[in-house]
Every structure is written in structure tokens, then in C-alpha cells.
Amino acid sequence: MATVVTAPEADRQLEAIDDWWRFNRQAAPNLFFEEFRAAVASLDAMPRLGRRIAHPDVPFLRRTLLRATRYQVYYVTDGDMVMILAVWSAVRGAGPDLGQVTFHGAA
């Protein structure tokens, strides 16, 4: 089992997304939170679940998709730790700017 943590930038993104989702998706206000929580449980059990993504600033970056809400979770692994760096809409044209995200190593 891995320990899953979030970078401060990801915490801010999660709060904004959850607030937006609860206000704008009143038929399923908990869907984003529930899908993200399920993704964290999956990453806890299988840290290398996501697809490797080449990134100039973040070695060993991985991404997994939240299918129902169409968000992507960007993360790195370091031993038995998973650090979520960003949560980003898959419908945006480009991924998040990860050059300034704080994280500890990767493997």
C-alpha cells in the first residue's frame, strides 16, 4: 500500500473543482469528490496505475483519467509514496503547468 498525498497546488485545484462541480452539477453534486476518492484508493493500491507522460520539468510523471467527470490526475511516485501534483480538466487544450509545482523526487 502506498501513501497518497497532494501538493498544495493540487489541494487548491481540488477545492475549486469540487466547489464548481457542486454548484454547477446539481444532479450529481458529489460525483467529482467520489470519483477522485476512488482514484486515490486505486493509486494507494496500485501506484503505477496511470500512464507515463513525458514532461521536461517532472521526471517519471504519470496521469490517470477520472472518466465520469473528465478530469486527469497528474502524479509522481517515490517508493511507497504517491504525490498528486495537479488535477486538470481533460477537455482543456493543454495540460497543467507543472514547472512550479513542489514535489519530492520520483522513481
Side-chain angles (χ1 to χ4, degrees):
M1 299 297 260
T3 300
V4 180
V5 297
T6 53
E9 295 86 348
D11 288 335
R12 288 189 289 278
Q13 293 164 351
L14 286 165
E15 184 177 343
I17 294 165
D18 190 51
D19 288 348
W20 184 92
W21 197 270
R22 289 176 188 283
F23 183 79
N24 291 288
R25 298 289 189 248
Q26 294 183 3
N30 297 318
L31 181 60
F32 172 76
F33 175 77
E34 290 169 1
E35 190 173 31
F36 179 75
R37 185 176 59 190
V40 168
S42 294
L43 291 174
D44 179 35
M46 299 173 289
R48 289 178 170 72
L49 171 73
R51 170 181 277 170
R52 290 274 307 263
I53 302 295
H55 193 281
D57 300 317
V58 184
F60 306 107
L61 180 66
R62 291 183 178 273
R63 176 181 71 198
T64 190
L65 178 65
L66 307 180
R67 292 186 190 281
T69 57
R70 299 175 61 188
Y71 279 88
Q72 297 171 332
V73 178
Y74 290 82
Y75 68 97
V76 293
T77 61
D78 186 2
D80 62 352
M81 184 176 78
V82 173
M83 177 165 282
I84 296 173
L85 304 178
V87 181
W88 202 253
S89 174
V91 298
R92 291 184 179 178
D97 178 12
L98 297 175
Q100 302 300 314
V101 175
T102 348
F103 67 98
H104 309 283

